Amino acid sequence: MKHPPRPVRIAALAALITVMAGCGSATAEPAGSTSAGPKLAVVATTPEVADFVRNIGGDDVAVTQIIKPNVDPHDYEPTPADLQAIASAKLVVKNGVGLEEWLDRTIESAGFTGTVVDSSQDVTLREGGHHEEEGAEHAEEEGEEHDPHIWHDPRNAKLMVTNIQKGLAAAEPAKAETFAKNLATYSAELDKLDADNTAAWAKIGKADRKLVTNHDAFGYYIARYDLEFVGSVIPSLDTSAELSAAQLTDLVAKIKATGTKAIFAESSLPPKTAEAIAQQAGVKVVAGEDALFGDSLGAPGSPEGTYLGAERHNTQVIVDALAG
């Protein structure tokens, strides 16, 4: 069955908000909360951004996370509950850089009157993905595109949480001091993550720092830790493209020529094509529980269910595979 165009679907969902409004708020206080009084209702788009808001807001915010773990954010379809949550929120926090293409229409349909915080403010963006960098003609046809996967560099994550802290403080001035303290604590953890990553990569020789992933999601990580991008199974910053037969042959040849040791699958994408390419190239594919978190985080309550845990997982998995 053919789906109606997305703007029509969002408008149809908006019509349900009035009916659903009588069912209660979409934001709930976190279990075990000790904060007195009403909490600041915040909608966060992605798992990473939601985790940042929880760390900076603490018990003083009630966070509704739109995109659940292992759901592709590039082609998300809002639900009636999403619209209701946005309509009821005081603050919406997004990753930005065009990752949430659906958000502006959804906000308009929800009748949201609060503030939108773009956590990507002041981040130095990569212009296009690796594939666009390799083909100037393609880049001209597609126009300028920025890589939205900014959180994979912990220094960018520090800027993101700073933007979030400013947004929370503006929305809830009485809690500004608490948010500032939370920011200082969490920023120190991000510094440690960056230092630990740097130390882990110091043990891997330059010749072995070659990366092939499901899609081009790790550009900021690659630049931060001085790795070499060999290629990706999906030749794009998002997940909508597919390798042509010629591109597949070229990727296999490049893996062999560069001595790349592994292809890394991602938690939110099926590993089937990666496994087929790995078999042709004669290298291992890292998948299953060891799959990387490219666009998502792990299950809630698991170590990888937080930004810090997911990033530690990624570094350990990649370093272990390339050191073998």
Side-chain angles (χ1 to χ4, degrees), residues 3-23:
H3 294 291
R6 186 176 295 176
V8 175
R9 297 185 68 181
I10 292 176
L13 291 175
L16 297 176
I17 291 180
T18 303
V19 176
M20 295 179 64
C23 299

Side-chain angles (χ1 to χ4, degrees), residues 21-46:
C23 299
S25 172
T27 56
E29 295 189 3
S33 171
T34 58
S35 180
K39 298 178 185 297
L40 179 65
V42 181
V43 166
T45 55
T46 69

